[in-house]
Amino acid sequence: MEHIQAAAADQLLYKITHDLSATVRALVELPIWISEDLKDSGVVVSDDIQENLDALTVNGKRLATMIDSLVTYSQVGKKQTLGTIDLADMVVTILNAEPLPLPRAVIFTTDFTEPSVQFHEPDFTRLCQALISNAIKHRDAETRHIWLNITAENTWIEVVVQDDGPGIPPDFREKALKVLSSLKSRDDVEGSGMGLAVADKIASHYGGRLTLETRGSGTKRGLLVRAKIPKPSV
């Protein structure tokens, strides 16, 4: 019964967010069109008005990001294809799509026990993307390294993303996995507050588990996110 209710909730969430997508896109584009029309008409816009138009665009983009993340969340486990995933190619695709590129001061390191894994797509890439994006978005000025380790052994696949950034205090880790939950203001960190929630749902859907840990011992800095999922039956 619980599974049926969850599926129905996902379907409703998908329908609502899908129907809202076009409206949200218009909210993002309209302030830009207004600015362009005023400029073409020779109207000089005051700094205050331009600031308000820019604020509309910024908040519209935030809403669009939230809608897209909710669509992704609702589609976990749906429309999947079981196939072989080239891990190096996957990482390149994820980093190229990341809206916040890594600065040169931050080193991104990968370590794979196998060059490829077999899993359901696009969920596996979405899982890795959510974890990598979380590390990139929540870095600080002292962050110097992000690691991605993917281990495929026996009957399990383990994805580990860790960093030497500010981390998440243990008391806040449960909250960090909840839907639409952000530990920082949107003005400090752009994001939907859905990344870890999506990753957690993907791991759970396939019979696995996602955990948040402190990276290493004797330090309060750094976060290690571990997703362990069973290999799919072929």
Side-chain angles (χ1 to χ4, degrees):
M1 176 65 71
E2 184 177 345
H3 175 73
I4 295 174
Q5 290 176 340
D10 282 344
Q11 184 61 31
L12 178 61
L13 179 61
Y14 175 77
K15 179 172 176 53
I16 292 172
T17 52
H18 183 270
D19 291 348
L20 281 173
S21 294
T23 301
V24 172
R25 283 195 299 271
L27 290 175
V28 174
E29 294 169 353
L30 279 172
I32 299 174
W33 294 344
I34 291 171
S35 295
E36 292 174 349
D37 289 344
L38 291 173
K39 183 178 179 179
D40 292 342
S41 300
V43 177
V44 178
V45 177
S46 70
D47 291 342
D48 288 342
I49 293 176
Q50 187 59 54
E51 184 177 340
N52 289 334
L53 289 171
D54 293 341
L56 284 172
T57 301
V58 168
N59 285 283
K61 288 180 178 179
R62 288 174 178 173
L63 181 56
T65 299
M66 183 183 297
I67 294 294
D68 290 343
S69 297
L70 287 169
V71 170
T72 299
Y73 186 85
S74 71
Q75 290 298 286
V76 169
K78 300 179 177 65
K79 300 179 181 179
Q80 302 295 312
T81 301
L82 180 62
T84 301
I85 305 156
D86 185 291
L87 298 178
D89 288 347
M90 179 196 71
V91 169
V92 171
T93 299
I94 290 173
L95 292 179
N96 286 339
E98 176 57 45
L100 293 174
L102 276 174
R104 293 183 180 180
V106 179
I107 300 171
F108 187 90
T109 302
T110 60
D111 183 19
F112 310 136
T113 58
E114 300 290 341
S116 63
V117 297
Q118 192 170 49
F119 206 78
H120 304 278
E121 279 285 74
D123 272 350
F124 187 80
T125 295
R126 286 173 175 168
L127 168 67
C128 295
Q129 183 173 17
L131 301 186
I132 293 171
S133 182
N134 181 72
I136 292 175
K137 287 177 181 177
H138 294 280
R139 69 181 189 272
D140 61 10
E142 298 177 42
T143 304
R144 292 291 177 266
H145 214 138
I146 296 174
W147 296 265
L148 168 65
N149 303 86
I150 299 179
T151 305
E153 295 179 350
N154 301 320
T155 59
W156 292 89
I157 298 173
E158 186 175 73
V159 179
V160 175
V161 174
Q162 54 182 318
D163 60 68
D164 58 356
I168 301 176
D171 291 345
F172 291 93
R173 290 175 185 171
E174 184 177 350
K175 178 183 177 182
L177 296 178
K178 295 185 181 298
V179 174
L180 298 178
S181 178
S182 180
L183 302 182
K184 291 185 178 180
S185 165
R186 296 291 190 275
D187 292 329
D188 295 329
V189 177
E190 286 290 352
S192 61
M194 289 291 295
L196 290 179
V198 168
D200 185 48
K201 185 179 180 182
I202 292 172
S204 298
H205 177 82
Y206 293 101
R209 186 184 178 194
L210 186 139
T211 57
L212 307 182
E213 308 166 23
T214 301
R215 190 186 74 85
S217 58
T219 176
K220 294 183 179 180
R221 285 186 61 83
L223 180 69
L224 185 152
V225 187
R226 187 190 312 275
K228 191 170 183 179
I229 46 181
K231 286 183 177 179
S233 300
V234 179

